[in-house]
Amino acid sequence: ANPNMLSILIKGVDDPDPRERYNSCYCIFLLAKVEENRTIIANDDNMMDQLVKVANIEGEAEDDFDDEISVDGSLNQRFANLGSPSGIRQQGAPETNEESDRGCRLSVMKVFLAISKVKDGAFAMVRHTDLMNLLVKISGTMTAEENILCAAVFTNLTRNVENMDALRHVPHLLVTVKRGMNSKNEECRKCACLTLQNLSCDKQFRRKIGETEYNLPALASHSLKSHTPENQLAAFNTIRNLAIEPANMPVILGSSGIAASLMNEAIKKDDGINQYLAADSLAALSQWLDSVADTAMERNEIEIKDRTLASLNVTTWNQWE
């Protein structure tokens, strides 16, 4: 991307004419389709500041129950007409800026998604405070397609382990992930679940997720009820990641549906990856339970000869002889 061209587009994004703003945003989206341009755009502070400003528009959220919309744009999209500069109506009439504003925001969200697919671009994005605060703010409040794009951006940002420290300082990030997991749209739920899976690979995030209990009920729902294999796999991977943290054991076992989903999957006869993940999660939880039992017996000077995992003794209340 030519620096002079970027400067012109930055001015166009800030132009008072809504059609000029829209055409400039759409041109930036086209530039972001080329992988070599994505890092350049991400590291241009003036460009990113203007894009954040454009995306931060007020508008009523629409019902996102439309599973025909996908993040890659390969399926039917209700707002696809806003992704092309052809036609005056799509660009907004002089009397109203609504169509132009929505078209600008859609183009900008596509730019953010394109940048987030590149490691260096994602690295720059998580360190742009205003951008991260904006994504948290607008996630789940836009049109169906824009919500999916936003959820996919978070998924890509969490793919880089070098971003974890910066992500830990993003306010309400887990609340945003929870919002995505409770979305009516299957694609949004999948992206949110993958985001949580990536976050749970980080030790500090594992503890934070367990402590807040924001997402565990949704995880159980994903693993038990989801008809999408990718969603189920992401859910079981996340539960397994959380289970290797001893501090999460009480929360996992105390969350309705988690233990049931693990046991139901572990006893299936299909011998698939989900079954392995469920069994591995149960093994980890058993290990922590065994460790707690050992600590308690040592503290109370209790000895059980040839103990394995349990004494297998039974106890009754006030039994008659």
Side-chain angles (χ1 to χ4, degrees):
N2 186 291
N4 292 331
M5 179 186 296
L6 291 181
S7 299
I8 294 172
L9 290 175
I10 290 173
K11 292 180 180 179
V13 170
D14 197 35
D15 195 281
D17 186 338
R19 287 170 290 188
E20 181 68 26
R21 287 200 307 271
Y22 175 75
N23 287 330
S24 298
C25 290
Y26 187 75
C27 285
I28 297 171
F29 160 60
L30 294 179
L31 290 175
K33 281 189 165 187
V34 180
E35 186 170 336
E36 290 78 6
N37 292 336
R38 295 171 185 175
T39 304
I40 297 174
I41 295 174
N43 288 307
D44 190 319
D45 291 337
N46 290 333
M47 172 70 76
M48 294 300 288
D49 288 343
Q50 285 299 323
L51 294 179
V52 168
K53 181 180 177 181
V54 168
N56 190 19
I57 62 173
E58 298 294 334
E60 294 183 4
E62 298 199 12
D63 185 8
D64 63 353
F65 187 69
D66 192 338
D67 286 340
E68 292 185 344
I69 299 177
S70 68
V71 68
D72 60 6
S74 61
L75 301 180
N76 177 52
Q77 298 174 349
R78 286 181 293 167
F79 307 103
N81 61 328
L82 293 175
S84 169
S86 60
I88 296 298
R89 191 190 67 79
Q90 287 88 343
Q91 300 179 47
E95 294 80 12
T96 174
N97 294 341
E98 182 180 359
E99 288 288 339
S100 289
D101 287 342
R102 290 175 63 181
C104 287
R105 186 172 66 181
L106 178 58
S107 293
V108 169
M109 294 306 301
K110 290 181 177 180
V111 172
F112 290 155
L113 178 60
I115 294 173
S116 71
K117 292 180 179 180
V118 180
K119 184 177 180 180
D120 291 340
F123 184 87
M125 287 179 70
V126 298
R127 284 154 183 81
H128 195 294
T129 303
D130 290 341
L131 170 60
M132 294 308 298
N133 289 339
L134 172 70
L135 293 176
V136 168
K137 171 187 172 183
I138 65 179
S139 177
T141 68
M142 302 173 286
T143 64
E145 184 181 3
E146 289 170 311
N147 287 334
I148 294 172
L149 294 171
C150 192
V153 168
F154 280 114
T155 302
N156 286 330
L157 295 181
T158 58
R159 291 169 56 195
N160 187 357
V161 66
E162 296 176 358
N163 289 344
M164 290 301 165
D165 184 61
L167 288 170
R168 281 194 291 270
H169 294 87
V170 176
H172 311 299
L173 176 61
L174 290 180
V175 178
T176 302
V177 177
K178 175 190 175 184
R179 190 185 306 145
M181 294 183 71
N182 291 328
S183 169
K184 297 177 182 178
N185 183 276
E186 188 77 17
E187 190 78 10
C188 254
R189 294 195 298 271
K190 182 182 78 172
C191 290
C193 207
L194 289 171
T195 299
L196 196 63
Q197 177 183 340
N198 289 342
L199 292 175
S200 64
C201 291
D202 177 78
K203 184 173 183 178
Q204 293 189 44
F205 262 119
R206 277 200 300 272
R207 293 184 176 183
K208 193 173 183 180
I209 293 168
E211 290 171 358
T212 56
E213 300 183 54
Y214 282 139
N215 305 285
L216 293 180
L219 274 176
S221 177
H222 274 276
S223 56
L224 280 169
K225 303 175 183 177
S226 178
H227 300 295
T228 305
E230 293 90 344
N231 281 19
Q232 287 188 330
L233 180 60
F236 280 113
N237 269 310
T238 306
I239 295 172
R240 197 271 300 270
N241 291 346
L242 296 175
I244 67 175
E245 173 59 50
N248 287 338
M249 180 191 64
V251 181
I252 293 175
L253 294 178
S255 297
S256 176
I258 293 286
S261 64
L262 293 176
M263 289 186 285
N264 287 340
E265 189 66 32
I267 62 176
K268 286 184 177 180
K269 299 180 180 180
D270 56 5
D271 195 30
I273 181 62
N274 288 349
Q275 185 182 47
Y276 163 76
L277 293 171
D280 197 38
S281 301
L282 290 171
L285 294 171
S286 298
Q287 180 177 331
W288 305 138
L289 287 170
D290 185 50
S291 178
V292 170
D294 282 339
T295 302
M297 287 190 295
E298 181 180 348
R299 185 176 299 169
N300 293 281
E301 299 181 353
I302 299 173
E303 294 186 9
I304 300 178
K305 187 178 180 180
D306 298 327
R307 175 181 175 274
T308 54
L309 286 179
S311 67
L312 304 181
N313 294 330
V314 295
T315 304
T316 60
W317 174 79
N318 204 18
Q319 186 179 41
W320 279 307
E321 297 294 340

